């Protein structure tokens, strides 16, 4: 039998590391700097970005330090000028009890420091861009903020461009994203609570809300659901969405999402809660009402006449995009007598040479349209959209000329595709609902269409977001209850907040709108 001393040594180290990882919550530092550094080296074995640097004080050679950090996520200037240089030139007196406090208060030039003796805190801090300071004879280490991440600029989000309004957008830095909110909401009522998600990634998240407005029961429910998340990694906010949602199998969203600070601030002022996650520009807002699918960022920056009409068009577009193919198939295949005679003759003439039934045409053409749309999204933006438009025109015309598809079906698919662009927040749900209604209409005609549409409405009425109904029909037509639903009232009439969100209803005491 052959023996490999190097391999055996590595196996022993791996076993030690595994043991340390399991006991990370319970292990603490010793008073020996050498033992502490060796522990860190074992925990970060095979991590070549870990830097260990020993420092000796120029005035007292018995005063020895060691710093540990990960290269690439720290600022070298901060470490050199604010940590290493002061430690070398300091005239601090050796004292086991007071040395750590003296270094924090009088030596290192770091704005954010924290003492700890827990290995778990040290590991998380090193991986997040902090520097750990070990001192000979001290049973604690100091976490020094030396983060130096490279982040992209805060440009306007590509998917949420607007005609009028702020042009800022979130990026992948959690603290920078929070600063955009804090800069515009200058009140102590704005609360930001940090938590950690993911057993391996230990991703930092922030729960943001306005204390005077938020519903405390809703806030507690959110914390309860977040505490139940038990997964190795949380890399994006969609992980949180799927792990905390009410209706797990529903195609409709139960959490809002945006990359715009102004949208998040508007939601916070309505009583909602925002969930920020480090490493992603997408911010979640809860609870989420169904009417938000038809609201746009710029509805509150343009004239209420224009935005009210636009919102009505979006609602109409939602109904058209899910019903037009199914309704066409139900009438053409089952209830032809509902069509005017001239229209029936025209459709029959167009379909005379087509070998496929209307239902098969609809399924094929909708599939082709979705393929072209997905292709356009995945390709570079400068050629993706023109390619999808030209592809649709060429394929549609070729299919009609080859008598594979009737011309009316091309019109139906075109209406369906164009109206779906009015509700970009519901791209996925409308696809599922459209296919479901088409299957019902193909199987049972107009009766199946009406039955399927009723089922969809019942499902929407039963949707909840963190216990709050997404669509509630109170039976009341009081103006303050419908002022920001299918229309957008002028600002001088936006007196109260949504009842289901908060008990702090009054937003504005005056509604004179400039009138004396």
């Amino acid at each position: 039998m052959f023996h490999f001393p190097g391999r055996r040594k590595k196996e022993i180290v791996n076993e030690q590391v595994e043991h340390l990882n399991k006991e990370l919550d319970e292990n603490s530092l010793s008073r020996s700097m050498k033992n502490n550094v060796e522990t860190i080296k074992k925990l970060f074995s095979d991590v070549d970005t870990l830097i260990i640097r020993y420092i000796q004080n120029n005035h007292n050679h018995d005063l020895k330090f060691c710093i540990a950090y990960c290269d690439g996520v720290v600022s070298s200037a901060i470490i050199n000028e604010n940590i290493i240089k002061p430690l070398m030139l300091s005239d601090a007196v050796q004292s086991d009890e007071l040395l750590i406090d003296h270094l924090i208060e009088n030596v290192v030039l770091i704005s954010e420091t924290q003492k700890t003796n827990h290995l778990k805190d040290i590991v998380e801090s090193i991986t997040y861009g902090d520097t750990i300071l070990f001192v000979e004879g001290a049973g604690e280490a100091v976490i020094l903020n030396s983060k130096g991440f490279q982040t992209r600029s805060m440009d306007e989000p590509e998917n949420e461009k607007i005609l009028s309004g702020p042009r800022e957008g979130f990026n992948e830095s959690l603290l920078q994203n929070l600063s955009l909110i804090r800069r515009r909401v200058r009140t102590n009522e704005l609360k930001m609570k940090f938590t950690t998600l993911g057993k391996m990634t230990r991703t930092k998240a922030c729960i943001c809300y306005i204390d005077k407005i938020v519903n405390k029961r809703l806030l507690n429910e959110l914390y309860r659901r977040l505490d139940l998340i038990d997964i190795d990694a949380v890399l994006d906010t969609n992980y949180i969405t799927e792990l905390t949602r009410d209706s797990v199998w529903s195609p409709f969203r139960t959490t809002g999402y945006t990359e715009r600070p102004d949208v998040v601030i508007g939601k916070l002022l309505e009583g909602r809660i925002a969930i920020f996650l480090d490493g992603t520009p997408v911010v979640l807002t809860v609870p989420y009402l169904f009417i938000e699918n038809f609201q746009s960022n710029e509805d509150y920056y343009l004239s209420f006449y224009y935005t009210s009409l636009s919102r009505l068009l979006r609602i109409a577009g939602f109904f058209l995009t899910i019903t037009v193919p199914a309704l066409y198939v139900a009438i053409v295949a089952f209830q032809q007598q509902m069509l005017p005679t001239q229209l029936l003759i025209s459709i029959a003439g167009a379909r005379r040479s087509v070998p496929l039934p209307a239902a098969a045409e609809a399924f094929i053409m909708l599939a082709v349209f979705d393929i072209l749309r997905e292709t356009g999204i995945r390709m570079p933006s400068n050629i993706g959209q023109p390619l999808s438009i030209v592809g649709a025109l060429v394929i549609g015309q070729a299919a009609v000329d080859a008598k594979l598809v009737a011309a009316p079906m091309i019109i139906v698919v075109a209406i369906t595709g164009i109206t779906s662009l009015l509700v970009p927040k519901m791209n996925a749900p409308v696809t599922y609902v459209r296919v479901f209604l088409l299957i019902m209409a193909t199987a049972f005609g107009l009766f199946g269409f009406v039955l399927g549409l009723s089922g969809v409405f019942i499902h929407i009425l039963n949707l909840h977001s963190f216990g709050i109904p997404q669509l509630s029909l109170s039976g009341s037509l009081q103006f303050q209850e419908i002022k920001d639903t299918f229309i957008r009232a002028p600002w001088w009439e936006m007196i109260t907040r949504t009842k289901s969100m908060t008990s702090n209803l009054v937003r504005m005491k005056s509604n004179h709108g400039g009138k004396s």
Side-chain angles (χ1 to χ4, degrees):
M1 181 180 291
F2 294 97
H3 295 278
F4 300 93
R7 179 178 297 178
R8 178 58 185 159
K9 182 178 179 181
K10 188 172 182 178
E11 290 175 356
I12 294 174
V13 171
N14 288 339
E15 291 175 2
Q16 293 174 340
V17 172
E18 185 177 354
H19 174 73
L20 283 170
N21 281 330
K22 287 181 179 179
E23 305 297 331
L24 210 55
D25 292 336
E26 303 172 3
N27 285 340
S28 58
L29 298 177
S30 69
R31 301 184 74 86
S32 170
M33 184 176 74
K34 180 180 178 181
N35 292 342
N36 293 335
V37 174
E38 287 300 319
T39 301
I40 296 300
K41 287 181 177 179
K42 289 177 182 178
L43 285 171
F44 286 89
S45 63
D46 295 331
V47 181
D48 293 339
T49 56
L50 179 70
I51 306 297
I52 303 291
R53 168 74 188 273
Y54 291 93
I55 305 168
Q56 188 176 49
N57 185 264
N58 290 346
H59 300 280
N60 184 352
H61 295 298
D62 294 329
L63 194 57
K64 298 178 181 179
F65 312 100
C66 180
I67 59 174
Y69 58 91
C70 272
D71 195 17
V73 293
V74 297
S75 170
S76 299
I78 292 177
I79 292 176
N80 293 333
E81 296 296 325
N82 299 3
I83 299 176
I84 296 178
K85 187 175 179 180
L87 289 175
M88 294 178 66
L89 302 179
S90 170
D91 57 354
V93 180
Q94 179 78 38
S95 172
D96 292 344
E97 299 298 329
L98 302 177
L99 180 57
I100 290 286
D101 292 328
H102 178 76
L103 292 175
I104 293 175
E105 296 172 3
N106 303 303
V107 179
V108 294
L109 306 176
I110 300 295
S111 61
E112 185 179 346
T113 62
Q114 177 189 346
K115 292 191 296 184
T116 185
N117 64 347
H118 297 294
L119 282 176
K120 180 181 177 182
D121 295 336
I122 291 174
V123 169
E124 288 184 13
S125 299
I126 289 177
T127 56
Y128 199 55
D130 293 326
T131 298
I132 309 301
L133 172 62
F134 298 98
V135 181
E136 182 62 51
E140 291 181 310
V142 184
I143 300 174
L144 305 172
N145 183 2
S146 58
K147 298 178 183 68
F149 300 118
Q150 295 296 322
T151 57
R152 63 183 176 87
S153 60
M154 295 179 172
D155 299 324
E156 184 178 13
E158 287 293 329
N159 296 328
E160 297 183 75
K161 288 186 178 295
I162 59 176
L163 299 176
S164 176
R167 303 294 180 184
E168 289 178 324
F170 294 126
N171 63 12
E172 286 73 19
S173 172
L174 175 62
L175 294 178
Q176 288 186 19
N177 293 342
L178 293 176
S179 70
L180 293 178
I181 304 299
R182 173 58 68 188
R183 179 169 59 87
R184 300 178 66 176
V185 185
R186 295 188 290 273
T187 173
N188 63 305
E189 295 290 341
L190 177 63
K191 308 300 182 183
M192 296 177 176
K193 301 286 289 183
F194 288 103
T195 186
T196 303
L197 302 173
K199 293 182 294 185
M200 295 294 293
T201 59
R202 309 297 297 170
T203 309
K204 185 175 286 189
C206 182
I207 312 303
C208 190
Y209 58 92
I210 297 180
D211 192 52
K212 189 165 62 176
I213 303 176
V214 73
N215 184 330
K216 296 299 191 295
R217 182 190 62 80
L218 177 65
L219 182 63
N220 293 332
E221 176 64 15
L222 173 61
Y223 280 128
R224 185 188 71 82
R225 296 191 188 188
L226 291 177
D227 289 340
L228 293 176
I229 295 179
D230 184 16
I231 191 172
D232 287 343
V234 176
L235 305 178
D236 186 72
T237 49
N238 190 59
Y239 287 60
I240 301 175
T241 297
E242 294 191 10
L243 293 171
T244 61
R245 64 180 300 161
D246 295 69
S247 305
V248 293
W249 298 110
S250 173
F252 297 98
R253 292 189 66 95
T254 57
T255 56
Y257 62 97
T258 183
E259 296 182 37
R260 299 184 62 90
D262 56 315
V263 174
V264 172
I265 293 169
K267 303 296 185 187
L268 293 176
L269 293 171
E270 286 286 334
R272 291 177 175 83
I273 305 168
I275 306 171
F276 292 78
L277 189 69
D278 194 27
T280 176
V282 180
V283 176
L284 299 180
T285 57
V286 294
Y288 186 69
L289 302 183
F290 192 76
I291 193 62
E292 291 181 57
N293 291 308
F294 309 107
Q295 295 174 343
S296 174
N297 315 333
E298 58 189 355
D299 282 355
Y300 307 95
Y301 304 141
L302 300 174
S303 167
F304 64 92
Y305 290 115
Y306 174 78
T307 55
S308 296
L309 177 60
S310 298
R311 196 171 291 181
L312 290 172
L313 288 176
R314 293 182 207 123
I315 296 173
F318 168 72
F319 286 106
L320 287 175
T321 193
I322 64 173
T323 60
V324 167
L327 188 60
Y328 173 81
V329 169
I331 293 176
V332 169
F334 292 91
Q335 274 82 29
Q336 298 94 338
Q337 66 275 13
M338 295 181 62
L339 295 173
T341 305
Q342 291 298 325
L343 180 59
L344 177 61
I345 293 172
S346 176
I347 293 177
R351 292 189 44 78
R352 183 176 53 190
S353 303
V354 176
L356 299 175
E361 284 184 292
F363 280 112
I364 292 173
M365 292 308 298
L366 287 174
V368 170
F369 177 81
D370 286 332
I371 290 172
L372 288 172
R373 184 184 63 182
E374 190 69 15
T375 303
I377 293 173
R378 303 301 169 193
M379 295 193 69
S381 57
N382 57 338
I383 62 173
Q385 187 174 7
L387 178 66
S388 60
I389 295 173
V390 172
L393 292 173
V394 171
I395 291 176
Q397 186 61 44
V400 172
D401 292 342
K403 300 189 183 302
L404 297 176
V405 178
M409 179 56 68
I410 300 296
I411 298 174
V412 167
V413 173
I415 293 174
T416 303
I418 292 173
T419 51
S420 69
L421 300 178
L422 288 172
V423 281
K425 295 180 182 179
M426 303 182 72
N427 275 337
V430 297
T431 302
Y432 304 137
V433 173
R434 185 192 302 138
V435 172
F436 168 70
L437 294 179
L438 187 55
I439 292 173
M440 294 293 291
T442 301
F444 305 107
L446 195 59
F447 172 75
F449 169 76
V450 174
L451 185 65
L453 193 60
S454 301
V456 171
F457 287 153
I458 292 172
H459 174 71
I460 293 174
L461 287 171
N462 283 279
L463 287 176
H464 287 75
S465 177
F466 287 81
I468 293 179
Q470 283 200 325
L471 186 63
S472 58
L473 302 178
S474 62
S476 172
L477 289 178
Q478 295 182 5
F479 182 74
Q480 285 302 315
E481 293 188 13
I482 63 172
K483 64 184 182 302
D484 196 22
T485 52
F486 55 87
I487 62 168
R488 203 277 279 178
W491 273 113
W492 64 82
E493 294 291 352
M494 305 276 269
I495 300 173
T496 61
R497 301 182 178 93
T498 307
K499 279 185 179 181
S500 59
M501 295 290 177
T502 177
S503 58
N504 188 349
L505 295 178
V506 179
R507 185 211 312 268
M508 179 174 57
K509 293 184 179 180
S510 173
N511 67 333
H512 292 92
K515 297 176 288 186
S516 57

